[in-house]
């Protein structure tokens, strides 16, 4: 189902490292509005989606979110070069965050809020279609 | 026209050529999302096909000149290390 390519759709190149911005970007990985949650939700919603073309869309956009995760992880990887000796309050905060493996999925790098599995949970999609094209015949 | 494009692909630098592949992939993906809900839109399908052809051409030249982008493109002539020892996108050398 999934293959990988050894290239991104667009390169991650950090021209001017910015700890404050990095913190905001990295916060998009976990949490209720993060890319990880989005990817998992879309890819799980496929199974209760009764319309096949929308199953396709969910697969497409779920896959796309995985790419977005790769961008964020690329940014995080670049941020490891940011030196504490440049010593702004922001840089220290970022490093406190980066040093903690348990906060990889943190959604608020400033407060140190970890993501929880509840953020990745999937609500069953309810559809109210009068006649369903893929609904099995009731006998 | 196709020959001209092929010749220019052959003179492009690595990053520029990869950008061509990425650009056409992005366009294909976006058109694909649109076509998911508009499967009979022939103009969109035509655009998709144009980007697909250009993408295939660019990635064929890229793989020939700079090595595989995915495992199935690995050729015996370059050896396995040409695939496994090239940098991943998060490494500086890849950008």
């Amino acid at each position: 189902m999934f293959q990988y390519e050894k290239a991104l759709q667009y390169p991650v190149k950090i021209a001017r490292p910015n700890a404050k911005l990095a913190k905001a970007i990295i916060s998009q990985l976990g949490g209720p509005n993060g890319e990880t949650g989005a990817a998992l939700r879309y890819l799980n919603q496929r199974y209760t989606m009764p319309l096949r073309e929308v199953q396709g869309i969910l697969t497409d956009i779920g896959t796309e979110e995985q790419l977005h995760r790769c961008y964020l992880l690329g940014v995080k990887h670049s941020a490891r070069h940011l030196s504490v000796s440049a010593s702004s309050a922001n840089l220290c905060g970022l490093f406190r965050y980066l040093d903690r493996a348990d906060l990889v999925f943190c959604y608020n790098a400033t407060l140190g809020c970890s993501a929880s599995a509840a953020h990745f949970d999937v609500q069953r999609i309810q559809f109210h279609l009068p006649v369903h094209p893929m609904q099995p015949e009731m006998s | 026209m196709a020959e001209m494009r092929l010749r220019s692909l052959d003179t492009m630098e690595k990053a520029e050529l990869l950008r061509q592949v990425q650009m056409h992939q992005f366009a294909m993906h976006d058109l694909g999302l649109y076509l998911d809900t508009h499967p009979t839109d022939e103009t969109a399908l035509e655009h998709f096909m144009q980007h697909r052809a250009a993408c295939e051409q660019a990635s064929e030249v890229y793989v020939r000149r700079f090595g595989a982008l995915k495992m199935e493109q690995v050729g015996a002539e370059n050896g396995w290390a040409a695939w496994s020892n090239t940098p991943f996108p998060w490494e500086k050398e890849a950008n």
Side-chain angles (χ1 to χ4, degrees), chain A residues 3 5-6 8 60 64, chain B residues 22 25 36 69 72 83:
Chain A
Q3 288 185 317
E5 213 166 85
K6 216 166 170 175
L8 298 169
D60 288 341
E64 192 176 336
Chain B
Q22 291 166 323
Q25 279 179 339
D36 276 340
L69 283 170
E72 70 202 54
W83 159 249

Side-chain angles (χ1 to χ4, degrees), chain A residues 22 26 75-82 91-104 109:
Chain A
I26 290 162
V75 169
K76 176 171 177 280
H77 187 68
S78 305
R80 84 199 183 287
H81 291 306
L82 294 179
L91 273 180
C92 294
L94 178 67
F95 264 81
R96 228 181 9 254
Y97 156 59
L98 284 177
D99 285 346
R100 291 187 53 184
D102 60 322
L103 289 185
V104 164

Side-chain angles (χ1 to χ4, degrees), chain A:
Chain A
M1 175 125 242
F2 292 101
Q3 288 185 317
Y4 72 91
E5 213 166 85
K6 216 166 170 175
L8 298 169
Q9 206 171 50
Y10 194 83
V12 173
K13 236 185 257 180
I14 312 291
R16 282 175 297 119
N18 180 327
K20 201 174 171 186
L21 188 58
K23 219 191 270 187
I25 292 171
I26 290 162
S27 295
Q28 294 305 302
L29 190 57
N33 302 312
E35 304 290 345
T36 306
L40 292 176
R41 274 191 304 273
Y42 291 144
L43 293 176
N44 284 321
Q45 282 166 344
R46 294 182 295 171
Y47 301 96
T48 50
M49 164 50 67
L51 298 172
R52 185 172 290 139
E53 60 265 46
V54 188
Q55 288 175 1
I57 292 173
L58 289 166
T59 307
D60 288 341
I61 61 181
T63 304
E64 192 176 336
E65 300 302 333
Q66 302 286 9
L67 171 70
H68 297 164
R69 297 189 66 238
C70 291
Y71 289 133
L72 296 177
L73 291 165
V75 169
K76 176 171 177 280
H77 187 68
S78 305
R80 84 199 183 287
H81 291 306
L82 294 179
S83 146
V84 185
S85 64
S87 83
S88 74
N90 282 334
L91 273 180
C92 294
L94 178 67
F95 264 81
R96 228 181 9 254
Y97 156 59
L98 284 177
D99 285 346
R100 291 187 53 184
D102 60 322
L103 289 185
V104 164
F105 292 106
C106 116
Y107 63 91
N108 188 324
T110 313
L111 298 175
C113 301
S114 290
S116 98
H119 297 143
F120 304 149
D121 223 337
V122 179
Q123 287 198 328
R124 194 186 161 83
I125 316 173
Q126 295 290 342
F127 286 95
H128 305 284
L129 301 177
V131 177
H132 206 281
M134 281 174 65
Q135 205 164 39
E137 295 279 331
M138 301 294 277
S139 51

